[in-house]
């Protein structure tokens, strides 16, 4: 299967963002109302939640909604308040020392990844891999604060935000790890996640957020798809969560070299190829807070950007399922159309 990654540089929501919206809205809208349109919160409920928990983000939210056409369903979706339940897989590692870094694998189905790499300046310069059109799967801001998410491996769900909009808020308004942690401790989320954070000074944290218990800061530099222990055995076994965690813990115990750790993300068991089952590694991201830069990495290919130097480009990556011949990435490059 071919997957398009598009690097887009647009300070404020405009025609480039609208083009992404037009490409994905049909699929997102069907997913959002899959349990019936009345199963989702109203616009006024969504707006109230944003005003209560992330009021600084309201002007950006309003600009995004306007760029999407200002419709009721679009506004409800873009608030990310109480979206449908969904799961994935990921691996994350925080590197401390002279050159702090955050490295992660994003494991999901190629059919469901948006593939947008967006450089924006809504409130400050942010470079992020986008989900739900403006939310953040992982990213870094001009202050050198980097964040990423991993599903927490629990079936609990509740009233709260989808975590991508929370990470958008963090990167727009936090400058360091302490500020990011404070935000995560007070904003309700609708599912369980492990959030990895590191800043330019090397201060770091892993935060377990859940809909049914308070956020918890833990002294761990590795996170996969469980928190303190496995609570959803079938998911952990399918995604090899324990094996990935053990492999990364062993790597970090033996080296602090960024390239050596990055190499471990490109090998099994951390690197996964079960794309047909929805748990294949779609990309590896390596964030470098010192110069606010990031690389998206695939076997044999590195794509580097930063908050100060970001170039628009399109790359096509081809994925083959591990049960049918392994991973065979190919790349096609081109300019982004305006």
């Amino acid at each position: 299967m071919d997957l398009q990654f598009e690097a887009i540089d647009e300070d404020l929501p405009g025609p480039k963002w609208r083009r992404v919206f037009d490409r994905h809205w049909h699929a997102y809208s069907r997913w959002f109302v899959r349990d019936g349109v009345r199963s989702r919160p109203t616009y006024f409920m969504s707006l109230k939640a944003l005003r209560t928990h992330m009021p600084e983000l309201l002007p950006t939210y309003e600009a995004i909604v306007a760029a999407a056409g200002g419709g009721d369903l679009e506004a409800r979706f873009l608030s990310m308040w109480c979206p449908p339940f969904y799961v994935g897989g990921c691996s994350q590692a925080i590197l401390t020392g002279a050159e702090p870094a955050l490295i992660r694998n994003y494991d999901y189905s190629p059919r469901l990844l948006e593939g947008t790499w967006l450089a924006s300046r809504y409130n400050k310069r942010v470079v992020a891999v986008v989900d739900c059109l403006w939310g953040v799967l992982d990213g870094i801001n001009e202050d050198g604060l980097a964040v990423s998410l991993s599903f927490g491996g629990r079936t609990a769900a509740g009233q709260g935000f989808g975590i991508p909009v929370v990470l958008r808020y963090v990167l727009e308004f936090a400058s360091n790890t302490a500020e990011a942690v404070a935000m995560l401790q007070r904003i309700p989320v609708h599912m369980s996640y492990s959030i990895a954070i590191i800043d330019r000074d090397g201060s770091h944290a892993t935060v377990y957020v859940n809909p049914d218990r308070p956020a918890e800061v833990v002294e761990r530099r590795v996170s996969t798809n469980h928190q303190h222990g496995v609570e959803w055995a079938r998911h952990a076994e399918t995604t090899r969560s324990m094996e990935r965690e053990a492999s990364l813990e062993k790597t970090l115990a033996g080296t602090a070299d960024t390239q050596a750790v990055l190499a471990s993300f490109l090998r099994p068991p951390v690197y996964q190829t079960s794309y047909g089952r929805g748990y294949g590694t779609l990309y590896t991201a390596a964030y470098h807070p010192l110069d606010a830069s990031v690389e998206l990495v695939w076997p044999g290919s590195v794509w580097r950007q930063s908050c100060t130097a970001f170039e628009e480009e399109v790359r096509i990556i081809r994925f083959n399922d591990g049960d049918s011949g392994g991973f065979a990435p190919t790349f096609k490059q081109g300019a982004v159309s305006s």
Side-chain angles (χ1 to χ4, degrees):
M1 178 179 181
D2 289 349
L3 176 65
Q4 174 178 295
F5 269 82
E6 184 174 11
I8 299 172
D9 189 354
E10 189 172 55
D11 284 356
L12 299 174
K16 295 177 185 178
W17 183 87
R18 177 61 197 233
R19 183 165 44 80
V20 174
F21 173 87
D22 289 339
R23 182 188 307 143
H24 296 290
W25 176 238
H26 177 69
Y28 272 131
S29 61
R30 291 185 63 185
W31 168 75
F32 188 63
V33 299
R34 68 184 185 187
D35 300 317
V37 68
R38 293 186 178 181
S39 67
R40 305 270 68 83
T42 66
Y43 166 69
F44 291 106
M45 294 168 64
S46 304
L47 186 62
K48 180 181 178 181
L50 279 167
R51 282 176 173 163
T52 300
H53 300 290
M54 296 184 284
E56 303 94 331
L57 196 59
L58 270 176
T60 304
Y61 166 71
E62 290 169 349
I64 287 282
V65 171
D72 175 77
L73 187 63
E74 291 88 339
R76 292 157 70 184
F77 168 81
L78 291 166
S79 76
M80 296 187 222
W81 176 247
C82 300
F85 189 86
Y86 57 94
V87 301
C90 297
S91 303
Q92 306 174 140
I94 297 169
L95 283 70
T96 58
E99 296 185 6
L102 169 58
I103 303 176
R104 66 95 105 257
N105 276 3
Y106 185 71
D107 302 339
Y108 205 42
S109 167
R111 294 176 177 83
L112 300 177
L113 181 71
E114 185 176 321
T116 304
W117 202 8
L118 179 63
S120 60
R121 205 180 302 272
Y122 299 155
N123 299 277
K124 62 175 66 179
R125 186 66 159 173
V126 172
V127 172
V129 180
V130 169
D131 189 40
C132 293
L133 299 171
W134 72 301
V136 171
L137 293 173
D138 48 79
I140 193 165
N141 67 20
E142 63 187 36
D143 301 312
L145 176 69
V147 299
S148 70
L149 65 85
S150 181
F151 173 58
R154 303 180 66 234
T155 58
Q159 276 208 337
F161 290 98
I163 195 66
V165 76
V166 178
L167 295 192
R168 167 61 66 183
Y169 177 71
V170 167
L171 289 180
E172 295 292 337
F173 296 103
S175 298
N176 55 52
T177 296
E179 293 175 359
V181 168
M183 293 174 179
L184 293 171
Q185 288 175 323
R186 64 173 177 79
I187 299 173
V189 296
H190 88 299
M191 286 174 50
S192 299
Y193 287 94
S194 301
I195 310 302
I197 313 167
I198 193 164
D199 64 21
R200 187 163 284 162
D201 293 332
S203 176
H204 60 90
T206 296
V207 184
Y208 294 161
V209 296
N210 292 278
D212 56 344
R213 56 198 189 202
E216 183 181 2
V217 183
V218 295
E219 291 294 326
R220 306 199 66 173
R221 293 194 292 135
V222 168
S223 49
T224 52
N225 295 122
H226 58 277
Q227 293 182 342
H228 290 293
V230 171
E231 296 185 48
W232 187 0
R234 182 177 179 182
H235 183 272
E237 292 168 4
T238 300
T239 63
R240 305 184 71 188
S241 185
M242 295 292 288
E243 293 92 334
R244 288 183 284 122
E245 179 189 59
S247 177
L248 288 174
E249 293 278 13
K250 182 179 180 181
T251 298
L252 261 64
T255 183
D257 179 70
T258 301
Q259 291 304 311
V261 176
L262 178 60
S264 72
F265 274 82
L266 301 176
R267 297 191 301 263
V270 183
Y271 200 93
Q272 302 195 84
T273 57
S274 297
Y275 300 103
R277 293 189 295 169
Y279 298 112
T281 298
L282 301 185
Y283 65 87
T284 302
Y287 288 92
H288 308 283
L290 291 183
D291 61 356
S293 69
V294 53
E295 295 128 13
L296 292 190
V297 183
W298 296 269
S301 178
V302 177
W303 190 3
R304 189 179 190 278
Q305 305 272 24
S306 75
C307 286
T308 57
F310 190 95
E311 295 185 5
E312 295 188 325
E313 190 178 318
V314 174
R315 297 195 183 189
I316 306 298
I317 300 94
R318 176 163 295 170
F319 296 93
N320 292 330
D321 192 81
D323 297 328
S324 60
F327 176 74
T330 60
F331 304 95
K332 178 183 178 181
Q333 300 176 218
V336 176
S337 59
S338 59

